[in-house]
């Protein structure tokens, strides 16, 4: 049995920064959507962009080729009372099925949702927390920071293309947020940040979500130079730079 699939409609669209568009979804199908899943992912199911229809609806279900219309996105917020599911989309620096849909989205548009999955940060109660991610991972990092205990310590390195993309994050005072303002998502500043923390990371829960080569680079450094608990590491290639 596959994940639960739901049909939703766009409730509102808001550009919260030059490269981040917030879309709130709603619908009766969210009545049984589980709570407290912020920072976990859903599979967004998009309409066929080539469909000749005035009202484009995604096709739900398991059928030949269905995966090409699905992309993973983070649950930024969910309000059970109002059945409002918030998803933030990185836009305006790349084109693709999801970003194109988000740029054109308007209230009333349809979007399918499958899931949710489980939260990825391995241990909210760890002694220390490290986050490394480009703007595509900002929603996941932001949602996770909100879940940490007030006493949490650590660092978050977040790449954004423009200083206006910085967000006011709700995070523990002991977690220092480092904004890496550069259009280059493959910046060396992630590695520089990791190196600056030191080699004893046994008590750290580590979250890495970025382009494939960045994830590999940081994992190589961890494996060659650091003491860390592999069970407390989440590392995911959110996207791949086409060569």
């Amino acid at each position: 049995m596959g994940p639960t699939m739901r049909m939703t409609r766009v409730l509102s669209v808001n550009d919260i920064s030059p490269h981040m568009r917030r879309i709130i979804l709603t619908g009766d199908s969210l009545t049984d959507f589980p709570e407290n899943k912020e920072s976990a992912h859903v599979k967004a199911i998009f309409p066929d962009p080539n469909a000749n229809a005035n009202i484009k609806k995604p096709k739900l279900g398991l059928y030949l080729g269905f995966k090409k219309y699905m992309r993973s996105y983070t649950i930024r917020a969910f309000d059970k009372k109002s059945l409002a599911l918030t998803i933030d989309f990185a836009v305006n620096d790349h084109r693709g099925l999801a970003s194109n849909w988000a740029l054109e989205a308007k209230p009333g548009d349809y979007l399918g949702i499958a899931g949710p999955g489980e939260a990825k940060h391995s241990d909210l109660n760890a002694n220390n927390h490290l986050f490394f991610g480009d703007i595509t991972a900002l929603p996941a990092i932001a949602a996770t920071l909100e879940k940490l205990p007030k006493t949490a310590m650590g660092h978050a390195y977040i790449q954004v293309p423009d200083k206006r993309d910085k967000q006011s994050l709700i995070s523990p005072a002991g977690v220092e947020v480092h904004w890496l303002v550069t259009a280059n998502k493959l910046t060396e500043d992630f590695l520089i940040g990791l190196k600056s923390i030191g080699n004893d990371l046994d008590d750290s829960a580590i979250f890495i979500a970025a382009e494939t080569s960045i994830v590999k680079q940081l994992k190589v450094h961890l494996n060659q130079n650091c003491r860390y608990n592999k069970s407390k590491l989440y590392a995911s290639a959110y996207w791949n730079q086409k060569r």
Side-chain angles (χ1 to χ4, degrees), residues 39-86:
S39 82
H41 78 280
V42 292
K43 290 288 186 180
I45 308 168
F46 298 92
D48 181 350
N50 299 314
N52 295 318
N54 292 327
I55 300 178
K56 292 185 176 181
K57 292 182 70 172
K59 181 180 178 181
L60 303 188
L62 307 180
Y63 58 90
L64 184 63
F66 75 96
K67 289 185 177 180
K68 69 180 180 180
Y69 300 113
M70 301 176 74
R71 301 289 188 273
S72 293
Y73 274 88
T74 296
I75 300 166
R76 187 62 186 86
F78 177 60
D79 186 326
K80 185 78 169 182
K81 184 176 180 179
S82 60
L83 298 182
L85 177 65
T86 301

Side-chain angles (χ1 to χ4, degrees), residues 88-148:
D88 290 350
F89 291 79
V91 296
N92 289 327
D93 67 348
H94 66 286
R95 300 305 296 266
L97 174 69
S99 58
N100 289 352
W101 179 88
L103 284 171
E104 298 174 1
K106 59 186 183 301
D109 285 355
Y110 291 91
L111 185 70
I113 294 295
E118 297 299 326
K120 300 302 189 294
H121 194 51
S122 58
D123 184 1
L124 294 175
N125 295 309
N127 291 334
N128 194 61
H129 301 267
L130 301 176
F131 300 89
F132 302 87
D134 60 36
I135 192 170
T136 65
L138 175 52
I141 294 174
T144 304
L145 288 174
E146 292 175 3
K147 289 177 171 288
L148 294 179

Side-chain angles (χ1 to χ4, degrees), residues 31 45 49 59-60 95 104 153 157 206 222 236 243:
T31 301
I45 308 168
K59 181 180 178 181
L60 303 188
R95 300 305 296 266
E104 298 174 1
M153 305 290 290
Y157 293 84
I206 306 171
L222 287 172
S236 177
R243 301 300 180 185

